[in-house]
mmCIF file of all heavy atoms in Angstrom:
data_model
loop_
_atom_site.group_PDB
_atom_site.id
_atom_site.type_symbol
_atom_site.label_atom_id
_atom_site.label_comp_id
_atom_site.label_asym_id
_atom_site.label_seq_id
_atom_site.Cartn_x
_atom_site.Cartn_y
_atom_site.Cartn_z
ATOM 1 N N ALA E 1 -3.175 -1.807 0.771
ATOM 2 C CA ALA E 1 -2.553 -0.712 1.484
ATOM 3 C C ALA E 1 -3.361 0.595 1.153
ATOM 4 O O ALA E 1 -3.628 0.872 0.036
ATOM 5 C CB ALA E 1 -1.128 -0.403 1.058
ATOM 6 N N LEU E 2 -3.819 1.324 2.209
ATOM 7 C CA LEU E 2 -4.573 2.520 2.044
ATOM 8 C C LEU E 2 -3.577 3.735 2.030
ATOM 9 O O LEU E 2 -2.837 3.806 3.038
ATOM 10 C CB LEU E 2 -5.491 2.685 3.149
ATOM 11 C CG LEU E 2 -6.610 3.830 2.970
ATOM 12 C CD1 LEU E 2 -7.583 3.399 1.849
ATOM 13 C CD2 LEU E 2 -7.369 4.075 4.375
ATOM 14 N N ASP E 3 -3.498 4.422 0.938
ATOM 15 C CA ASP E 3 -2.602 5.584 0.756
ATOM 16 C C ASP E 3 -3.205 6.895 1.395
ATOM 17 O O ASP E 3 -4.012 7.489 0.795
ATOM 18 C CB ASP E 3 -2.321 5.748 -0.744
ATOM 19 C CG ASP E 3 -1.448 6.913 -1.085
ATOM 20 O OD1 ASP E 3 -0.863 7.359 -0.068
ATOM 21 O OD2 ASP E 3 -1.361 7.230 -2.245
ATOM 22 N N LEU E 4 -2.670 7.130 2.516
ATOM 23 C CA LEU E 4 -2.958 8.473 3.142
ATOM 24 C C LEU E 4 -1.812 9.498 3.009
ATOM 25 O O LEU E 4 -1.841 10.558 3.510
ATOM 26 C CB LEU E 4 -3.258 8.162 4.668
ATOM 27 C CG LEU E 4 -4.262 7.215 5.013
ATOM 28 C CD1 LEU E 4 -4.395 7.097 6.556
ATOM 29 C CD2 LEU E 4 -5.615 7.655 4.491
ATOM 30 N N GLY E 5 -0.741 9.047 2.183
ATOM 31 C CA GLY E 5 0.455 9.768 1.929
ATOM 32 C C GLY E 5 1.574 8.800 2.095
ATOM 33 O O GLY E 5 2.646 9.220 2.673
ATOM 34 N N ILE E 6 1.405 7.678 1.511
ATOM 35 C CA ILE E 6 2.474 6.566 1.721
ATOM 36 C C ILE E 6 3.787 6.925 1.087
ATOM 37 O O ILE E 6 3.893 7.522 -0.009
ATOM 38 C CB ILE E 6 1.814 5.311 1.071
ATOM 39 C CG1 ILE E 6 2.607 4.055 1.703
ATOM 40 C CG2 ILE E 6 1.924 5.331 -0.462
ATOM 41 C CD1 ILE E 6 1.760 2.816 1.390
ATOM 42 N N LYS E 7 4.789 6.530 1.833
ATOM 43 C CA LYS E 7 6.181 6.672 1.386
ATOM 44 C C LYS E 7 6.532 5.499 0.555
ATOM 45 O O LYS E 7 6.269 4.300 0.791
ATOM 46 C CB LYS E 7 7.175 6.801 2.573
ATOM 47 C CG LYS E 7 6.900 8.137 3.383
ATOM 48 C CD LYS E 7 7.619 8.148 4.714
ATOM 49 C CE LYS E 7 9.201 8.243 4.477
ATOM 50 N NZ LYS E 7 9.981 8.358 5.737
ATOM 51 N N LYS E 8 7.476 5.784 -0.484
ATOM 52 C CA LYS E 8 7.865 4.694 -1.345
ATOM 53 C C LYS E 8 8.665 3.661 -0.720
ATOM 54 O O LYS E 8 8.491 2.410 -0.994
ATOM 55 C CB LYS E 8 8.686 5.284 -2.506
ATOM 56 C CG LYS E 8 7.906 6.127 -3.527
ATOM 57 C CD LYS E 8 8.733 6.483 -4.742
ATOM 58 C CE LYS E 8 7.860 7.240 -5.629
ATOM 59 N NZ LYS E 8 8.607 7.492 -6.976
ATOM 60 N N ASN E 9 9.387 4.015 0.357
ATOM 61 C CA ASN E 9 10.225 2.973 0.936
ATOM 62 C C ASN E 9 9.465 1.997 1.828
ATOM 63 O O ASN E 9 9.881 0.824 2.078
ATOM 64 C CB ASN E 9 11.303 3.564 1.741
ATOM 65 C CG ASN E 9 12.507 2.709 1.994
ATOM 66 O OD1 ASN E 9 13.014 2.114 0.982
ATOM 67 N ND2 ASN E 9 13.029 2.589 3.189
ATOM 68 N N ILE E 10 8.189 2.370 2.270
ATOM 69 C CA ILE E 10 7.310 1.464 2.959
ATOM 70 C C ILE E 10 6.984 0.317 1.843
ATOM 71 O O ILE E 10 6.959 -0.782 2.245
ATOM 72 C CB ILE E 10 6.093 2.142 3.499
ATOM 73 C CG1 ILE E 10 6.516 3.169 4.572
ATOM 74 C CG2 ILE E 10 5.009 1.134 3.837
ATOM 75 C CD1 ILE E 10 5.227 3.911 5.034
ATOM 76 N N LEU E 11 6.565 0.694 0.716
ATOM 77 C CA LEU E 11 6.177 -0.222 -0.173
ATOM 78 C C LEU E 11 7.471 -1.079 -0.704
ATOM 79 O O LEU E 11 7.313 -2.302 -0.839
ATOM 80 C CB LEU E 11 5.651 0.482 -1.561
ATOM 81 C CG LEU E 11 4.337 1.365 -1.309
ATOM 82 C CD1 LEU E 11 3.998 2.125 -2.466
ATOM 83 C CD2 LEU E 11 3.344 0.438 -0.824
ATOM 84 N N ARG E 12 8.651 -0.555 -0.761
ATOM 85 C CA ARG E 12 9.858 -1.365 -1.013
ATOM 86 C C ARG E 12 10.124 -2.329 0.004
ATOM 87 O O ARG E 12 10.456 -3.505 -0.307
ATOM 88 C CB ARG E 12 10.997 -0.372 -1.106
ATOM 89 C CG ARG E 12 10.972 0.545 -2.248
ATOM 90 C CD ARG E 12 12.346 1.277 -2.357
ATOM 91 N NE ARG E 12 12.249 2.512 -3.279
ATOM 92 C CZ ARG E 12 12.346 3.811 -2.699
ATOM 93 N NH1 ARG E 12 12.429 3.863 -1.434
ATOM 94 N NH2 ARG E 12 12.228 4.817 -3.533
ATOM 95 N N ASN E 13 9.936 -1.924 1.271
ATOM 96 C CA ASN E 13 10.127 -2.903 2.424
ATOM 97 C C ASN E 13 9.150 -4.033 2.442
ATOM 98 O O ASN E 13 9.548 -5.161 2.692
ATOM 99 C CB ASN E 13 9.967 -2.149 3.728
ATOM 100 C CG ASN E 13 11.359 -1.586 4.177
ATOM 101 O OD1 ASN E 13 12.178 -2.192 4.897
ATOM 102 N ND2 ASN E 13 11.658 -0.326 3.726
ATOM 103 N N LEU E 14 7.825 -3.806 2.033
ATOM 104 C CA LEU E 14 6.957 -4.851 2.002
ATOM 105 C C LEU E 14 7.150 -5.754 0.762
ATOM 106 O O LEU E 14 7.087 -6.998 1.031
ATOM 107 C CB LEU E 14 5.484 -4.168 1.913
ATOM 108 C CG LEU E 14 4.934 -3.592 3.085
ATOM 109 C CD1 LEU E 14 3.623 -2.697 2.836
ATOM 110 C CD2 LEU E 14 4.598 -4.606 4.190
ATOM 111 N N ALA E 15 7.413 -5.128 -0.263
ATOM 112 C CA ALA E 15 7.861 -5.979 -1.495
ATOM 113 C C ALA E 15 9.092 -6.928 -1.159
ATOM 114 O O ALA E 15 8.941 -8.009 -1.722
ATOM 115 C CB ALA E 15 7.995 -5.050 -2.669
ATOM 116 N N LYS E 16 10.012 -6.387 -0.385
ATOM 117 C CA LYS E 16 11.243 -7.180 -0.145
ATOM 118 C C LYS E 16 10.868 -8.517 0.797
ATOM 119 O O LYS E 16 11.583 -9.495 0.810
ATOM 120 C CB LYS E 16 12.229 -6.451 0.501
ATOM 121 C CG LYS E 16 12.978 -5.535 -0.356
ATOM 122 C CD LYS E 16 14.246 -4.871 0.267
ATOM 123 C CE LYS E 16 13.864 -4.001 1.407
ATOM 124 N NZ LYS E 16 15.117 -3.275 1.971
ATOM 125 N N LYS E 17 9.657 -8.412 1.363
ATOM 126 C CA LYS E 17 9.214 -9.444 2.291
ATOM 127 C C LYS E 17 8.306 -10.442 1.572
ATOM 128 O O LYS E 17 7.505 -11.137 2.177
ATOM 129 C CB LYS E 17 8.531 -8.848 3.477
ATOM 130 C CG LYS E 17 9.344 -7.898 4.365
ATOM 131 C CD LYS E 17 10.469 -8.712 5.052
ATOM 132 C CE LYS E 17 11.212 -7.787 5.962
ATOM 133 N NZ LYS E 17 12.415 -8.463 6.543
ATOM 134 N N ASP E 18 8.336 -10.440 0.219
ATOM 135 C CA ASP E 18 7.588 -11.324 -0.671
ATOM 136 C C ASP E 18 6.163 -11.014 -0.581
ATOM 137 O O ASP E 18 5.296 -11.867 -0.389
ATOM 138 C CB ASP E 18 7.885 -12.860 -0.164
ATOM 139 C CG ASP E 18 7.418 -13.810 -1.211
ATOM 140 O OD1 ASP E 18 7.254 -13.412 -2.419
ATOM 141 O OD2 ASP E 18 7.176 -14.991 -0.864
ATOM 142 N N VAL E 19 5.882 -9.615 -0.639
ATOM 143 C CA VAL E 19 4.496 -9.078 -0.580
ATOM 144 C C VAL E 19 4.047 -8.437 -1.802
ATOM 145 O O VAL E 19 4.866 -7.665 -2.494
ATOM 146 C CB VAL E 19 4.236 -8.197 0.582
ATOM 147 C CG1 VAL E 19 2.914 -7.461 0.558
ATOM 148 C CG2 VAL E 19 4.586 -8.880 1.881
ATOM 149 N N TYR E 20 2.924 -8.787 -2.315
ATOM 150 C CA TYR E 20 2.310 -8.060 -3.606
ATOM 151 C C TYR E 20 1.370 -7.065 -2.995
ATOM 152 O O TYR E 20 0.469 -7.512 -2.300
ATOM 153 C CB TYR E 20 1.778 -9.154 -4.482
ATOM 154 C CG TYR E 20 1.120 -8.410 -5.759
ATOM 155 C CD1 TYR E 20 1.924 -7.643 -6.604
ATOM 156 C CD2 TYR E 20 -0.093 -8.858 -6.216
ATOM 157 C CE1 TYR E 20 1.517 -7.109 -7.778
ATOM 158 C CE2 TYR E 20 -0.592 -8.311 -7.404
ATOM 159 C CZ TYR E 20 0.253 -7.409 -8.143
ATOM 160 O OH TYR E 20 -0.388 -6.900 -9.328
ATOM 161 N N ILE E 21 1.437 -5.693 -3.394
ATOM 162 C CA ILE E 21 0.658 -4.772 -2.716
ATOM 163 C C ILE E 21 -0.207 -4.091 -3.830
ATOM 164 O O ILE E 21 0.311 -3.729 -4.833
ATOM 165 C CB ILE E 21 1.549 -3.656 -1.964
ATOM 166 C CG1 ILE E 21 2.653 -4.288 -1.173
ATOM 167 C CG2 ILE E 21 0.734 -2.718 -1.358
ATOM 168 C CD1 ILE E 21 4.074 -4.072 -1.739
ATOM 169 N N LYS E 22 -1.463 -3.894 -3.411
ATOM 170 C CA LYS E 22 -2.357 -2.970 -4.157
ATOM 171 C C LYS E 22 -2.452 -1.772 -3.279
ATOM 172 O O LYS E 22 -3.135 -1.855 -2.137
ATOM 173 C CB LYS E 22 -3.645 -3.625 -4.480
ATOM 174 C CG LYS E 22 -4.520 -2.806 -5.421
ATOM 175 C CD LYS E 22 -5.788 -3.610 -5.825
ATOM 176 C CE LYS E 22 -6.619 -2.743 -6.907
ATOM 177 N NZ LYS E 22 -7.868 -3.437 -7.388
ATOM 178 N N VAL E 23 -2.192 -0.644 -3.821
ATOM 179 C CA VAL E 23 -2.502 0.593 -3.077
ATOM 180 C C VAL E 23 -3.654 1.289 -3.490
ATOM 181 O O VAL E 23 -3.961 1.569 -4.757
ATOM 182 C CB VAL E 23 -1.191 1.541 -3.432
ATOM 183 C CG1 VAL E 23 -1.274 2.916 -2.579
ATOM 184 C CG2 VAL E 23 0.057 0.826 -3.107
ATOM 185 N N PHE E 24 -4.453 1.663 -2.471
ATOM 186 C CA PHE E 24 -5.800 2.237 -2.752
ATOM 187 C C PHE E 24 -5.884 3.651 -2.334
ATOM 188 O O PHE E 24 -5.163 4.094 -1.476
ATOM 189 C CB PHE E 24 -6.925 1.463 -1.937
ATOM 190 C CG PHE E 24 -7.141 0.062 -2.384
ATOM 191 C CD1 PHE E 24 -6.268 -1.048 -1.974
ATOM 192 C CD2 PHE E 24 -8.212 -0.235 -3.220
ATOM 193 C CE1 PHE E 24 -6.498 -2.321 -2.337
ATOM 194 C CE2 PHE E 24 -8.421 -1.512 -3.708
ATOM 195 C CZ PHE E 24 -7.621 -2.560 -3.315
ATOM 196 N N PRO E 25 -6.815 4.452 -2.976
ATOM 197 C CA PRO E 25 -6.939 5.807 -2.575
ATOM 198 C C PRO E 25 -7.466 5.922 -1.137
ATOM 199 O O PRO E 25 -8.152 4.912 -0.623
ATOM 200 C CB PRO E 25 -7.962 6.272 -3.612
ATOM 201 C CG PRO E 25 -7.871 5.457 -4.735
ATOM 202 C CD PRO E 25 -7.515 4.095 -4.176
ATOM 203 N N TYR E 26 -7.322 7.079 -0.539
ATOM 204 C CA TYR E 26 -7.736 7.230 0.849
ATOM 205 C C TYR E 26 -9.224 7.035 1.076
ATOM 206 O O TYR E 26 -9.596 6.604 2.247
ATOM 207 C CB TYR E 26 -7.411 8.691 1.303
ATOM 208 C CG TYR E 26 -8.465 9.716 0.942
ATOM 209 C CD1 TYR E 26 -9.333 10.226 1.843
ATOM 210 C CD2 TYR E 26 -8.554 10.237 -0.433
ATOM 211 C CE1 TYR E 26 -10.297 11.057 1.502
ATOM 212 C CE2 TYR E 26 -9.572 11.038 -0.772
ATOM 213 C CZ TYR E 26 -10.412 11.594 0.180
ATOM 214 O OH TYR E 26 -11.358 12.571 -0.108
ATOM 215 N N ASP E 27 -10.119 7.169 0.069
ATOM 216 C CA ASP E 27 -11.542 7.011 0.262
ATOM 217 C C ASP E 27 -12.043 5.654 -0.269
ATOM 218 O O ASP E 27 -13.149 5.492 -0.505
ATOM 219 C CB ASP E 27 -12.327 8.105 -0.466
ATOM 220 C CG ASP E 27 -11.941 8.191 -1.969
ATOM 221 O OD1 ASP E 27 -11.068 7.505 -2.446
ATOM 222 O OD2 ASP E 27 -12.578 8.978 -2.659
ATOM 223 N N ALA E 28 -11.131 4.675 -0.274
ATOM 224 C CA ALA E 28 -11.587 3.334 -0.755
ATOM 225 C C ALA E 28 -12.420 2.778 0.371
ATOM 226 O O ALA E 28 -12.389 3.046 1.481
ATOM 227 C CB ALA E 28 -10.355 2.404 -0.985
ATOM 228 N N THR E 29 -13.285 1.790 -0.043
ATOM 229 C CA THR E 29 -14.175 1.121 0.845
ATOM 230 C C THR E 29 -13.549 -0.247 1.175
ATOM 231 O O THR E 29 -12.652 -0.779 0.522
ATOM 232 C CB THR E 29 -15.633 0.807 0.253
ATOM 233 O OG1 THR E 29 -15.417 -0.131 -0.933
ATOM 234 C CG2 THR E 29 -16.224 2.273 -0.231
ATOM 235 N N TYR E 30 -14.123 -0.922 2.342
ATOM 236 C CA TYR E 30 -13.691 -2.153 2.743
ATOM 237 C C TYR E 30 -13.997 -3.265 1.539
ATOM 238 O O TYR E 30 -13.142 -4.068 1.323
ATOM 239 C CB TYR E 30 -14.423 -2.608 3.927
ATOM 240 C CG TYR E 30 -14.107 -3.990 4.372
ATOM 241 C CD1 TYR E 30 -12.826 -4.322 5.045
ATOM 242 C CD2 TYR E 30 -14.927 -5.096 4.187
ATOM 243 C CE1 TYR E 30 -12.536 -5.574 5.355
ATOM 244 C CE2 TYR E 30 -14.588 -6.352 4.567
ATOM 245 C CZ TYR E 30 -13.377 -6.611 5.162
ATOM 246 O OH TYR E 30 -13.032 -7.926 5.537
ATOM 247 N N GLU E 31 -15.127 -3.051 0.899
ATOM 248 C CA GLU E 31 -15.466 -4.078 -0.120
ATOM 249 C C GLU E 31 -14.505 -3.984 -1.333
ATOM 250 O O GLU E 31 -14.018 -4.962 -1.799
ATOM 251 C CB GLU E 31 -16.915 -3.779 -0.680
ATOM 252 C CG GLU E 31 -17.989 -4.127 0.360
ATOM 253 C CD GLU E 31 -18.115 -3.127 1.548
ATOM 254 O OE1 GLU E 31 -17.603 -1.950 1.387
ATOM 255 O OE2 GLU E 31 -18.608 -3.559 2.593
#
């Protein structure tokens, strides 16, 4: 997930769907 101002409840909703999320700074690269 690219954090451009991410809301906590977005992450909660993804986690409830059996998702493990790594949140990256806005200037992260594709690599």
